[in-house]
Amino acid sequence: MDDAPGRGTDIHLPDTARDLVKILVTGPFGVGKTTLIRSVSEIRPLHTEELLTEASAQVDDLAGVRDKSTTTVAVDFGRVSLPGGIVLYLFGTPGQERFRPLWDDIAYGALGALVLVDARRIDASFDVLGLVEETGLPYAVAFNTFPDAPGHHTAEQLRAALDLEPATPMVTCDAREADSSIDALLSLVQHLIDHHPPEPR
């Protein structure tokens, strides 16, 4: 397990915690899911990363992620407290098709998903978006910024390329930066509130 840079390692829930929410952080292989959870988690995040091997290179598409040396083989886990007493439990999913049998187990009980997308390889996100839609989970899309990502696409073009519904939130974020990643999570939380308004107490 790795320490989250700049974040605390207190395992206790804050006294202000009121609503505990399970969220999936998902997306294709190498899109930055582990990085995002590491950047925002207020506890020491759990990572199940292993080194890529020659055997996995035969089945994992490394196009666009040639510098990647590790991969999540089960789940990433972290926790972040938001204003208003909302506490998010973040579950990062493996991005490769060969880990699909884990999907239902990891997704069980989740209220929504943040889908990370790499603008350099948008088509790599189609399978994951299909999985999220099959589960019926509300979701938001966050384009993780990479230095060599194309900058000439408009928001309308990106939304059309992913065939997103008009109500689906779409934002950009830098998964390495806590504030940017939290803003992406907030876009999902607001969508969840709008999609499933809380019942009157």
Side-chain angles (χ1 to χ4, degrees):
M1 294 190 293
D2 300 322
D3 287 319
R7 307 292 291 179
T9 56
D10 186 0
I11 63 172
H12 302 289
L13 276 173
D15 293 337
T16 55
R18 182 170 55 89
D19 295 308
L20 310 181
V21 182
K22 180 179 180 180
I23 295 295
L24 298 187
V25 178
T26 190
F29 175 62
V31 78
K33 303 178 293 292
T34 298
T35 300
L36 184 143
I37 291 174
R38 181 184 293 123
S39 75
V40 301
S41 185
E42 64 198 12
I43 60 173
R44 180 179 297 171
L46 168 68
H47 299 301
T48 53
E49 286 195 302
E50 296 293 340
L51 290 173
L52 287 170
T53 65
E54 290 185 11
S56 66
Q58 303 302 313
V59 293
D60 295 333
D61 184 3
L62 297 179
V65 288
R66 291 291 176 187
D67 294 333
K68 187 169 176 59
S69 60
T70 61
T71 185
T72 298
V73 295
V75 67
D76 291 324
F77 176 77
R79 188 187 78 201
V80 59
S81 299
L82 300 177
I86 298 173
V87 177
L88 303 183
Y89 288 95
L90 306 177
F91 288 75
T93 68
Q96 300 99 305
E97 176 65 23
R98 60 194 171 96
F99 292 114
R100 183 166 181 168
L102 289 172
W103 175 267
D104 289 339
D105 290 334
I106 298 174
Y108 182 79
L111 292 189
L114 182 67
V115 182
L116 289 182
V117 176
D118 183 345
R120 302 170 301 176
R121 46 193 186 97
I122 291 176
D123 57 345
S125 301
F126 295 158
D127 287 344
V128 172
L129 282 168
L131 275 174
V132 173
E133 290 175 352
E134 283 177 23
T135 64
L137 285 175
Y139 66 94
V141 169
F143 278 87
N144 190 15
T145 57
F146 290 90
D148 56 342
H152 57 276
H153 298 310
T154 66
E156 291 76 14
Q157 289 171 328
L158 293 172
R159 184 175 287 276
L162 293 173
D163 194 26
L164 298 180
E165 295 290 337
T168 301
M170 189 185 76
V171 299
T172 60
C173 77
D174 184 337
R176 300 167 299 180
E177 300 292 335
D179 288 345
S180 180
S181 297
I182 287 175
D183 285 345
L185 290 166
L186 284 170
S187 73
L188 171 62
V189 170
Q190 186 60 54
H191 183 52
L192 294 180
I193 292 171
D194 295 341
H195 198 272
H196 295 292
E199 296 180 1
R201 292 183 180 274

